[in-house]
Amino acid sequence: MIRPLDGITVLSFEHAVAAPFCTRQLADLGARVIKVERPGVGDFARNYDERVNGLASHFVWINRSKESLTLNLKSEGAAEILERILPEVDILVQNLAPGAAARLGLSFETLHEKFPQLIVCDISGYGTGGPYEQKKAYDLLIQSESGFVSVTGSGEEMAKAGCSIVDISAAMYAYSNILSALILRGKTGKGSHIDVSMLESMVEWMGFPMYYAFNGAEPPVRAGAAHAAIYPYGPFQVAGGENVMLGLQNEREWKVFCEEVLKQPELADDPRFNRNSQRTENRDELKAIIVEAFSSLSKDEVIELLESAKIANAAVNTMHDVWNHKQLKERNRWRDVGTSAGVVPALLPPGVNNAYEYRMDAVPALGEHSEAILKEIGYETEQIEKLAQLGTI
């Protein structure tokens, strides 16, 4: 079985989420990823929590199939180690503090002279240049800067996303740009520089609310789990206090919903609700009608009605529900992955390709591969021991 990135080597100076998630996806496709970490400390995401058998949830999620090399980049001997590794590297990824990579001699301009085939991907909060270049950037801060939190939450209070949505978006653009750069290198023989901004990644995802507020128009209201501009589209309470999520996208579905689910066909032509803009404007009145109709029905009964009427719907699942989701189980989407704390389940990456299966190797312990990597590039055991004593590795 041949994977798309078999034979490709990635050297990554990474921490937290954005760069590690990017490189994990490269590893999923078969790339060898050497993760450079600080001796004794490692990627600080290793210490976010202890929820996975004592390991951090973020770290387990985005660091499988990598090799961990501990290296103090400012210590004696570090430059020589990099000089020996870099000739074999295809892709360098980094999300160090702004300017740090350049100060360490790891800028694209410096590296391109020596290694013209090397692809360099820099991930930062605001990108190179501009007044915000040196500004610190974390996921929540870019959620705010990009306008995301202004349209997320309820009327009373803004809210951030429940996952690292900015880091994930930046990681996805870094990943797709790297794949494009590999294709380009296949045509030109030369590597290129990729500059990924977390702000720009997130603003791209904000396209709908931005155009909705185009030319000074009112932006979408914060609508909780409902949709700001389509109704009914969101959670509705049923008997027992549970919720069902439903979504209506057009007038045909609205008519069917009134007739077959609410059993109130006259609502379809009610002037308060006879088009989406009216339903959105009068959402409070319509919500009361829907909740009353659902009040005597269980979650399963409501979903059965919606399914029968071919109205889009979903259960409001908890994390525990998702671990046991029957669709994921039926499609055989889980694999066992090793860690230093034992085997854990891991979801296969989205997208099933009939020619290969994704690489799903172990999550590395800190510095687990340092000795093997150094021996591979010509260091003897005594030299490695000295580097350890110096604190270089």
Side-chain angles (χ1 to χ4, degrees):
M1 181 175 60
I2 299 174
R3 295 187 178 98
L5 297 186
D6 283 350
I8 295 294
T9 298
V10 181
L11 184 66
S12 189
F13 303 86
E14 59 182 35
H15 57 258
V17 177
F21 188 39
C22 166
T23 60
R24 195 219 73 190
Q25 292 176 94
L26 298 171
D28 292 340
L29 295 181
R32 180 188 188 186
V33 176
I34 300 173
K35 179 184 180 77
V36 179
E37 302 189 71
R38 290 176 294 169
V41 179
D43 181 342
F44 54 73
R46 285 183 180 272
N47 301 305
Y48 279 169
D49 58 60
E50 302 82 32
R51 302 305 290 264
V52 188
N53 300 334
L55 303 178
S57 49
H58 276 88
F59 194 86
V60 170
W61 163 45
I62 54 178
N63 285 287
R64 65 172 181 253
S65 305
K66 300 180 185 179
E67 300 171 40
S68 173
L69 167 66
T70 50
L71 186 62
N72 181 348
L73 296 172
K74 298 178 182 179
S75 182
E76 181 182 343
E80 183 182 346
I81 291 171
L82 292 179
E83 284 290 330
R84 294 195 192 189
I85 291 177
L86 281 167
E88 307 304 319
V89 172
D90 298 280
I91 302 158
L92 186 147
V93 179
Q94 68 87 16
N95 68 332
L96 303 175
R103 289 192 295 272
L104 292 165
L106 298 173
S107 68
F108 173 75
E109 291 73 20
T110 299
L111 293 171
H112 189 64
E113 292 182 13
K114 296 180 181 178
F115 313 106
Q117 85 292 343
L118 184 65
I119 294 165
V120 176
C121 180
D122 298 327
I123 305 172
S124 64
Y126 296 96
T128 303
Y132 282 34
E133 179 179 1
Q134 298 297 317
K135 191 176 175 70
K136 284 189 174 181
Y138 300 126
D139 190 276
L140 172 60
L141 305 181
I142 302 296
Q143 286 192 40
S144 178
E145 197 74 48
S146 67
F148 178 84
V149 296
S150 76
V151 297
T152 306
S154 65
E156 296 75 37
E157 187 174 6
M158 69 182 76
K160 74 176 188 67
C163 63
S164 305
I165 188 170
V166 173
D167 287 320
I168 293 167
S169 69
M172 298 305 296
Y173 285 113
Y175 171 59
S176 59
N177 272 274
I178 287 169
L179 297 180
S180 298
L182 283 169
I183 294 171
L184 182 62
R185 190 179 74 171
K187 297 179 178 180
T188 67
K190 292 186 178 181
S192 51
H193 180 219
I194 302 163
D195 175 9
V196 175
S197 154
M198 293 163 65
L199 176 66
E200 291 161 16
S201 300
M202 200 61 209
V203 170
E204 167 65 21
W205 284 16
M206 294 298 294
F208 149 65
M210 288 181 65
Y211 279 115
Y212 191 87
F214 185 67
N215 203 23
E218 283 295 314
V221 297
R222 293 197 296 268
H227 198 288
I230 304 174
Y231 205 82
Y233 196 125
F236 293 88
Q237 195 171 79
V238 300
E242 293 189 281
N243 285 278
V244 169
M245 196 74 68
L246 66 89
L248 291 164
Q249 292 276 359
N250 56 59
E251 301 311 311
R252 179 190 61 78
E253 290 179 343
W254 167 242
K255 186 173 186 296
V256 172
F257 180 69
C258 293
E259 293 172 350
E260 299 185 22
V261 179
L262 297 181
K263 312 297 184 185
Q264 300 179 56
E266 69 279 4
L267 286 176
D269 297 318
D270 188 310
R272 296 172 297 170
F273 313 129
N274 62 1
R275 63 183 185 276
N276 178 64
S277 59
Q278 287 297 99
R279 293 192 292 275
T280 300
E281 184 176 337
N282 297 296
R283 65 171 63 212
D284 291 342
E285 293 176 69
L286 182 51
K287 181 176 183 178
I289 293 170
I290 295 171
V291 170
E292 174 62 27
F294 288 173
S295 62
S296 61
L297 301 173
S298 70
K299 180 179 74 173
D300 290 342
E301 288 172 329
V302 171
I303 288 177
E304 185 177 346
L305 276 173
L306 293 167
E307 284 291 305
S308 178
K310 294 183 170 53
I311 300 297
N313 66 86
V316 182
N317 285 328
T318 66
M319 294 298 94
H320 300 130
D321 296 328
V322 178
W323 274 115
N324 295 294
H325 203 294
K326 57 187 178 183
Q327 181 69 5
L328 299 175
K329 286 187 174 182
E330 184 65 27
R331 280 172 52 81
N332 192 30
R333 299 305 293 163
W334 296 104
R335 296 292 182 272
D336 287 337
V337 166
T339 76
S340 59
V343 173
V344 298
L347 185 72
L348 281 166
V352 180
N353 191 303
N354 71 344
Y356 65 92
E357 183 164 302
Y358 294 100
R359 181 180 173 200
M360 301 287 284
D361 292 346
V363 178
L366 178 60
E368 179 180 347
H369 304 91
S370 296
E371 183 175 354
I373 292 170
L374 291 176
K375 285 185 174 180
E376 183 182 332
I377 57 176
Y379 283 83
E380 301 293 336
T381 301
E382 295 77 10
Q383 294 174 296
I384 295 171
E385 290 173 353
K386 183 178 179 182
L387 289 168
Q389 292 168 1
L390 290 169
T392 304
I393 62 170

